[in-house]
Amino acid sequence: MIEIAIYFLKLGCIGFGGPLALIALMQKELIQERKWMSEDEFRRTFSLIKAMPGPVAFQMAVFLGYQKRKFWGGLIAGLCLILPAFLLMILLGHFYQNFVEIPWLQKMMNGMQLGAFALIIWAFKSLVQGFQKKIFFWVLFISGVALSVSTSIPEPLLILLFALIAVAADKVPAGRKLNSLDPLILTLASVCLKAGAFVFGTGLAIVPFLEADFVTRLGWISHQQFMDALAFGQLTPGPVTITVTFIGYKIAGLMGALVATVSVFLPAFFHMVTWFPRMVAWLHRQTWIGAFSLGATAAVCSAIAIALLHLGKGWGAPQYAMIAVLLLLLHFWKFPAWGLILLGGLLGFV
């Protein structure tokens, strides 16, 4: 238990670079060096977790902790991974209003937002990887964009619907109450639970859910605050989904931060310490997992595409030129996420 706590607390402090970077660190240290499980078992489990809703790196941490010490091992692994970023987001939320009013710092914040925007586009590319040659994926993606624009269909329903459509198509044979804040806290918890239950592939897939609910539907935070939260989520170590901690703090203080964080990670934690470890072997044998993942990812990508259009409203040519530069840096020089955010802040200042 102490080994689990120390390792994942350290990973939560140094784990910059997004979910794949965290996964790579776990594979190197826990699988290759400490032999917690075999390489083959790790790779097969990771491929299944990618098809599950929830932040990938968080789920893998909980799964590995569960494999060592069952429920309490999974709980300690998950808590220690997100604790450093949780505390940093509380600090950022507390001092946010003080430094956001300083003109030169505001320009840096705007640049950091562009860095976060570039990382979302990059995450979109990563999500599509593996499905880009499948025509059916792009049919579902375009349909998802069209439905999102023309109707008010909820994103979770769209994801589940497209996942089931993909599975069905794959099966067709070829040729054939706490205090006065109660209502607010409950709504905050329900929004974050919904987001945590339907985030497939990457923590950045959470963007369209949160933006649609917190900014557009509920109006609890401004577009500017939402973009700042995204930048902070990229700047801090650990899972990007920790963005909800900042949002929860701005909405309802420390209680809001705690409720938002617990709610968004709870579905993934539940999967990893209950049925998933017992069903891994059975899931490996199922042929429909790939089709389900294709349909769900297509729906998530369509939601992210719409969210990107909303997030970029009001920007001009200079901002998009900066995003293009940041994307080129990501492609050719493999910039870490936190470095890209800081570079965006510097460019914004300049």
Side-chain angles (χ1 to χ4, degrees), residues 7 17 53 100 132 215-216 219 224 295 320 325 346:
Y7 175 76
V100 81
Q132 69 268 32
V215 179
T216 306
Q224 174 76 25
Y320 285 112
V325 170
L346 180 61

Side-chain angles (χ1 to χ4, degrees), residues 66-307:
Y66 183 88
Q67 291 297 100
K68 293 296 286 183
R69 286 294 181 271
K70 299 302 180 185
F71 174 84
W72 292 108
L75 179 64
I76 291 297
L79 284 178
C80 289
L81 180 67
I82 65 174
L83 182 61
F86 175 83
L87 295 176
L88 280 172
M89 293 301 267
I90 295 295
L91 284 173
L92 288 167
H94 183 72
F95 292 107
Y96 174 78
Q97 203 58 45
N98 294 331
F99 61 71
V100 81
E101 295 171 357
I102 302 172
W104 66 267
L105 202 51
Q106 181 59 56
K107 294 186 185 301
M108 285 194 69
M109 289 296 303
N110 291 339
M112 290 167 67
Q113 292 174 12
L114 297 177
F117 195 86
L119 285 168
I120 296 171
I121 297 175
W122 195 255
F124 181 90
K125 172 181 173 290
S126 301
L127 267 176
V128 171
Q129 197 166 11
F131 299 119
Q132 69 268 32
K133 295 182 180 179
K134 296 182 183 292
I135 297 175
F136 188 49
F137 173 84
W138 293 110
V139 170
L140 289 175
F141 168 73
I142 294 169
S143 302
V145 171
L147 282 172
S148 299
V149 171
S150 59
T151 69
S152 57
I153 182 171
E155 288 90 349
L157 182 59
L158 184 69
I159 291 171
L160 184 59
L161 175 64
F162 276 30
L164 293 176
I165 288 173
V167 171
D170 187 59
K171 291 298 182 184
V172 175
R176 285 174 29 178
K177 199 164 191 143
L178 291 173
N179 50 36
S180 60
L181 286 179
D182 268 357
L184 184 141
I185 291 293
L186 288 175
T187 305
L188 177 65
S190 67
V191 169
C192 291
L193 272 171
K194 178 186 74 173
F198 290 95
V199 176
F200 283 83
T202 171
L204 287 172
I206 204 172
V207 171
F209 294 93
L210 301 184
E211 203 263 348
D213 281 326
F214 288 134
V215 179
T216 306
R217 182 171 68 87
L218 297 170
W220 282 352
I221 58 174
S222 66
H223 178 73
Q224 174 76 25
Q225 289 175 323
F226 181 76
M227 292 299 295
D228 287 341
L230 277 180
F232 290 150
Q234 291 287 356
L235 193 57
T236 53
V240 179
T241 314
I242 204 70
T243 297
V244 300
T245 303
F246 178 88
I247 295 173
Y249 185 85
K250 296 306 296 178
I251 292 170
L254 188 58
M255 174 63 79
L258 188 62
V259 167
T261 306
V262 171
S263 298
V264 81
F265 286 107
L266 186 60
F269 176 77
F270 172 80
H271 295 317
M272 291 301 109
V273 299
T274 53
W275 64 272
F276 183 80
R278 296 173 175 82
M279 300 289 285
V280 166
W282 180 81
L283 288 169
H284 284 314
R285 299 192 297 269
Q286 304 310 304
T287 58
W288 54 266
I289 288 290
F292 185 92
S293 182
L294 182 147
T297 305
V300 168
C301 286
S302 65
I304 291 177
I306 296 299

Side-chain angles (χ1 to χ4, degrees), residues 23-70:
I23 295 293
L25 287 171
M26 291 184 219
Q27 184 174 13
K28 179 179 180 296
E29 297 187 32
L30 299 183
I31 308 305
Q32 295 174 358
E33 296 176 7
R34 304 192 193 186
K35 309 295 183 186
W36 281 20
M37 64 170 62
S38 69
E39 286 267 12
D40 184 59
E41 187 181 359
F42 179 85
R43 282 193 293 268
R44 288 188 293 121
T45 302
F46 176 54
S47 67
L48 288 174
I49 286 179
K50 284 198 298 183
M52 295 277 293
V56 175
F58 174 79
Q59 291 188 93
M60 182 55 80
V62 174
F63 179 82
L64 289 170
Y66 183 88
Q67 291 297 100
K68 293 296 286 183
R69 286 294 181 271
K70 299 302 180 185

